[in-house]
Amino acid sequence: AKAARENEAAATLGALLTAYCDSLDMQGKASARLVRSAIVKNAKLAHPKLWSKAASKIEPDDVLDIVETLTSEGKPREAPKMRSYVRAAFAAAINARTKPGALPALRKLKVLSNPARDVGTVPGSSKTRDRALSVAELRAYWTRIEALPEPAGAALRFHLLSGGQRIEQLA
């Protein structure tokens, strides 16, 4: 019983989110540093009680508290990102239980459910735009990037011709 309590005390939301960030680092994800920074700022520092709460006892209301704090602070883009990070962290821990090569720290948490899965999306957080470059603007941009020296010019031309994805995704 004592060992079970010690394991639960070590298997906190903070340990889960930290292990998730470590797994992103291990996978070489470009976003790992930004995710870690957001998690420290918006979970560890903003919600220390939740940070030290056992991951197995985290409920959708707890995740909602994190998201609602950001929403009430007028951060409509940061709120859904945090929801996504917490959801992904729980999913990674669940998958780690049966996935060879998964980060042992995630596996040790013995997470069985994902409370962030039940937290709804943040309304108004995604404002898609429908503006596209005019033909004249596209020609001007092409002329400009065609004149750039290599490798920047080639990279920007490839970026445009491949659909203009986010640079991080293209990289």
Side-chain angles (χ1 to χ4, degrees):
K2 183 179 177 183
R5 281 194 306 273
E6 287 174 1
N7 284 342
E8 186 176 286
T12 62
L13 176 63
L16 168 67
L17 295 175
T18 300
Y20 172 65
C21 292
D22 293 344
S23 75
L24 292 177
D25 279 332
M26 186 177 86
Q27 296 169 41
K29 298 287 186 180
S31 62
R33 192 177 107 271
L34 293 173
V35 172
R36 188 180 301 273
S37 175
I39 284 174
V40 167
K41 181 180 178 185
N42 300 317
K44 183 177 185 178
L45 300 177
H47 298 276
K49 286 184 181 177
L50 286 177
W51 185 263
S52 58
K53 186 174 180 177
S56 62
K57 299 216 171 160
I58 295 292
E59 298 176 1
D61 288 344
D62 297 323
V63 179
L64 188 60
D65 283 347
I66 296 170
V67 174
E68 280 292 319
T69 298
L70 293 166
T71 303
S72 67
E73 290 174 355
K75 299 176 180 175
R77 278 302 304 133
E78 195 67 18
K81 286 180 188 179
M82 275 306 295
R83 174 187 168 269
S84 176
Y85 300 154
V86 174
R87 185 176 180 161
F90 274 96
I94 291 167
N95 291 337
R97 297 190 67 188
T98 58
K99 184 178 176 186
L103 192 67
L106 283 171
R107 189 175 294 123
K108 286 180 187 176
L109 296 168
K110 298 191 185 294
V111 172
L112 299 173
S113 65
N114 189 340
R117 180 189 62 225
D118 298 328
V119 175
T121 58
V122 179
S125 64
S126 179
K127 296 179 182 174
T128 57
R129 299 178 189 165
D130 59 358
R131 184 188 183 289
L133 293 177
S134 69
V135 173
E137 290 170 324
L138 188 58
R139 278 191 188 118
Y141 179 62
W142 182 264
T143 302
R144 178 92 187 243
I145 63 177
E146 194 173 37
L148 290 174
E150 303 304 326
L156 288 172
R157 288 189 301 275
F158 177 73
H159 172 252
L160 180 63
L161 292 173
S162 63
Q165 289 93 351
R166 293 179 189 149
I167 294 290
E168 284 182 2
Q169 292 173 332
L170 184 63

